[in-house]
Amino acid sequence: MSSNFNHSAGRLEREALMDQQIFEQQPISKVEEISSRSIAGELLLGCTIVNQGGEEIGEIEDVLIDISSGRVTHVLLSAGDWLNSTTEAVAWQKFCFDPTGRCFVLTDEERSAQ
């Protein structure tokens, strides 16, 4: 019985290691799948947001979708560290995707959610 337990524990450890490796590779592959025409919403989550000077200002925490049109209206921009984090809704039109930097650029520094 203990032999089967050790074998099962070893298999579970290998599966956990494989899951961790897949998870660690996920952000890179997510960003690589972004196209200029469409993207799955979950692939946006965690993408870096920079200002026009290229300085990182936060990341995409979530997206807000207009129910009637099905279009993204706002991005929830998460900025700061875990002690001083802020989240604000910024209009989707204020962003453009930079494929060379693999990030979103906030093109209008005025962040009001209008």
Side-chain angles (χ1 to χ4, degrees):
M1 187 80 163
S2 108
S3 172
N4 285 339
F5 177 76
N6 288 337
H7 178 70
S8 294
R11 182 177 54 82
L12 291 175
E13 287 174 11
R14 285 191 303 278
E15 287 176 3
L17 180 59
M18 287 172 42
D19 287 346
Q20 180 181 359
Q21 290 170 342
I22 290 169
F23 176 77
E24 289 172 354
Q25 294 171 0
Q26 194 78 3
I28 294 170
S29 63
K30 282 183 179 183
V31 174
E32 288 173 352
E33 292 181 35
I34 294 176
S35 74
S36 61
R37 296 186 163 253
S38 63
I39 182 171
E42 72 179 40
L43 298 180
L44 294 171
L45 304 183
C47 284
T48 301
I49 298 173
V50 299
N51 62 19
Q52 290 180 320
E55 299 168 327
E56 185 174 334
I57 57 175
E59 66 180 37
I60 296 175
E61 182 176 313
D62 213 339
V63 294
L64 302 177
I65 299 171
D66 180 300
I67 295 172
S68 62
S69 70
R71 295 186 181 271
V72 173
T73 60
H74 293 80
V75 166
L76 292 183
L77 184 153
S78 175
D81 58 24
W82 64 278
L83 283 176
N84 298 314
S85 70
T86 61
T87 301
E88 59 185 298
V90 181
W92 176 247
Q93 293 81 7
K94 295 185 179 201
F95 294 94
C96 69
F97 179 66
D98 176 8
T100 58
R102 293 181 168 172
C103 60
F104 283 87
V105 179
L106 181 60
T107 57
D108 183 353
E109 293 296 320
E110 179 63 37
R111 296 186 194 170
S112 68
Q114 300 170 6

